[in-house]
Amino acid sequence: MTMATTDVDIAVIGGGIGGLTLALALRQRGLEAEVFEQADALREVGAAVAIAANGSRILQRLGLGDQLAAAAVVPTALQYRHWRSGTVVADHPVGDAYARRFGAPFWGIHRASLQRTLSEAWDVERLHLGRCLAGVSDRADGVLLTFRDGRTVNARTVIGADGVHSQVRRHIDASVPVYSGTSGFRGMVPTDALPSLPSPSAVQFWMGPGGHVLHYAVGESVNFLAVLDGPERWPHQAGHVDAGQGELNAAFADWHPVVRELLGAVPQSPRWGLFTLPSPLHWSRGRSVLLGDAAHAMLPHHGQGANLTIEDAAVLARCIADAGPEGYESAFGRYERLRRPRARAVQRASWDTSEALHLPDGPTADIRDERLRTLDGWLGWIHGHDPESHPASVPPLADAHP
């Protein structure tokens, strides 16, 4: 039996942070979208997410500030520590001081809580679950979307917010994710299981030779990401592999006891390969355009994946609304011109920061530590950005990374 093709004006592929933020931003400008998500339920993916001021200011403007603030933890500080001694190399207050400096709060929040808030603000009737995209083809009057369940949609405009393995991106660009040569272990530990942890409410980086550990509070727990150099090659295009028993603890055996306590408090996770996605030559093709990780997946060392996606959503919604129903070419061109330089700058900064955090002790690490003590120089251009007031923001070369 042949299913009828459904006609829609705007189809958003992906019901994650980017897709739902875009849908809400479009609605705020008087436009309605249909969101198609491959999962049959909006489950938690990843333990937590850090929403910096460049993301939280946009979510506040969408009317979600109170709900997200109630579910989030505001860190007390951003600290960088020596891997073995635990000495605080740099210490920057967050909380109210951060909000005053950058014009919006910093939130540590469960990814599931953020996604739930976004989905509840959206219409359940316009969120189509269990719709895994199988094919994209151009038509004279739109884009034909074919889903694995056999249903088809003809959309006047398509936004691919479907992540690093985007099916929409395959329609636009043939490039694939690039392995960074680093990998990570993730975990969520109850705070009361960490009696030795100093400043448990602070965002903390422990920096050392060949690795680093990031952790921050989320609710009554501490979320961590432990990153190591290697392996030299990754066995899969992306995703994770099972690690040998005790591999994580062995890699950090010489680190400060607090680090060992944190990493040993929960069972070892799989080992995640850390990938980046080169920005394609073009972010759009015909009536289809990319958003977030589908356009510019980056390493997590600035915590900016979700934030840049939220920025994209705000700018793209404005460009589409300003251009009108048939102005997709001008809308997509303007969107790409506004977003590409910033996305590439943050991608590069995240890559370079990975190397900087893994330096052995010595003169180069001392220079890095001195730069880390100046927050505005290398961090301000990211967190202080407001894409609705200043659409493009890239740093002077010297300020891109520590």
Side-chain angles (χ1 to χ4, degrees):
M1 179 178 178
T2 302
M3 297 183 181
T5 298
T6 303
D7 292 319
V8 304
D9 285 331
I10 302 173
V12 178
I13 307 301
I17 295 170
L20 291 171
T21 301
L22 174 66
L24 291 167
L26 286 167
R27 172 174 291 170
Q28 193 175 63
R29 294 179 178 275
L31 300 172
E32 290 293 346
E34 303 290 333
V35 180
F36 299 88
E37 165 58 39
Q38 66 176 346
D40 56 10
L42 293 181
R43 302 182 183 92
E44 176 179 352
V45 180
V49 62
I51 302 298
N54 53 312
S56 64
R57 75 175 87 256
I58 294 168
L59 297 174
Q60 287 178 325
R61 289 170 185 160
L62 291 174
L64 306 177
D66 290 344
Q67 300 99 301
L68 293 174
V73 170
V74 176
T76 54
L78 170 63
Q79 297 178 340
Y80 293 85
R81 291 180 179 270
H82 185 270
W83 65 285
R84 176 173 282 173
S85 70
T87 301
V88 176
V89 170
D91 188 352
H92 303 286
V94 183
D96 291 341
Y98 175 95
R100 286 193 300 269
R101 181 176 298 205
F102 296 123
F106 188 109
W107 294 323
I109 189 169
H110 283 279
R111 189 174 291 267
S113 298
L114 174 56
Q115 183 136 326
R116 183 169 54 251
T117 299
L118 291 168
S119 62
E120 288 175 352
W122 187 240
D123 287 343
V124 65
E125 296 84 1
R126 292 183 179 271
L127 176 58
H128 309 279
L129 300 176
R131 303 293 291 275
C132 184
L133 186 64
V136 182
S137 56
D138 292 324
R139 285 183 165 184
D141 60 345
V143 182
L144 181 66
L145 304 172
T146 303
F147 296 90
R148 287 186 183 173
D149 62 7
R151 285 181 280 189
T152 56
V153 168
N154 191 58
R156 190 176 299 275
T157 301
V158 172
I159 293 95
D162 45 344
V164 67
H165 299 295
S166 168
Q167 188 72 33
V168 179
R169 179 172 173 131
R170 294 190 186 113
H171 175 66
I172 295 172
D173 181 80
S175 61
V176 297
V178 175
Y179 174 54
S180 67
T182 60
S183 55
F185 296 81
R186 308 173 190 272
M188 183 82 81
V189 184
T191 304
D192 59 12
L194 301 170
S196 304
L197 186 67
S199 306
S201 296
V203 177
Q204 299 187 50
F205 286 89
W206 298 72
M207 308 175 293
H212 76 272
V213 177
L214 162 67
H215 61 81
Y216 55 90
V218 179
E220 299 300 318
S221 299
V222 173
N223 180 70
F224 75 78
L225 170 65
V227 178
L228 293 165
D229 290 341
E232 184 177 349
R233 293 180 178 84
W234 194 253
H236 305 292
Q237 185 58 50
H240 61 270
V241 297
D242 291 333
Q245 185 175 2
E247 189 173 313
L248 173 61
N249 290 334
F252 289 91
D254 295 331
W255 287 51
H256 193 278
V258 164
V259 173
R260 302 202 304 270
E261 178 183 82
L262 174 69
L263 304 185
V266 291
Q268 177 181 281
S269 76
R271 188 167 189 160
W272 294 81
L274 299 183
F275 286 76
T276 187
L277 191 60
S279 181
L281 183 61
H282 300 290
W283 287 18
S284 64
R285 171 180 168 179
R287 295 174 177 266
S288 302
V289 68
L290 302 173
L291 180 144
D293 281 355
H296 48 67
M298 60 190 65
L299 298 180
H301 310 313
H302 272 304
Q304 283 295 309
N307 293 289
L308 265 286
T309 298
I310 292 167
E311 287 185 21
D312 282 354
V315 174
L316 181 55
R318 184 183 65 197
C319 290
I320 291 174
D322 288 351
E326 286 301 318
Y328 60 89
E329 286 189 52
S330 63
F332 294 169
R334 180 186 176 204
Y335 161 68
E336 183 175 341
R337 289 192 300 273
L338 292 173
R339 295 301 299 157
R340 178 195 286 274
R342 177 165 167 81
R344 292 183 67 179
V346 178
Q347 274 187 311
R348 179 65 188 182
S350 297
W351 186 285
D352 290 344
T353 295
S354 177
E355 298 177 5
L357 295 174
H358 294 194
L359 291 171
D361 293 346
T364 306
D366 293 341
I367 293 170
R368 173 206 62 197
D369 293 349
E370 187 60 38
R371 294 209 68 210
L372 287 173
R373 297 183 184 105
T374 307
L375 178 65
D376 282 342
W378 66 271
L379 193 62
W381 70 272
I382 298 179
H383 290 217
H385 179 58
D386 184 347
E388 296 180 288
S389 298
H390 305 284
S393 175
V394 296
L397 183 60
D399 289 340
H401 55 85

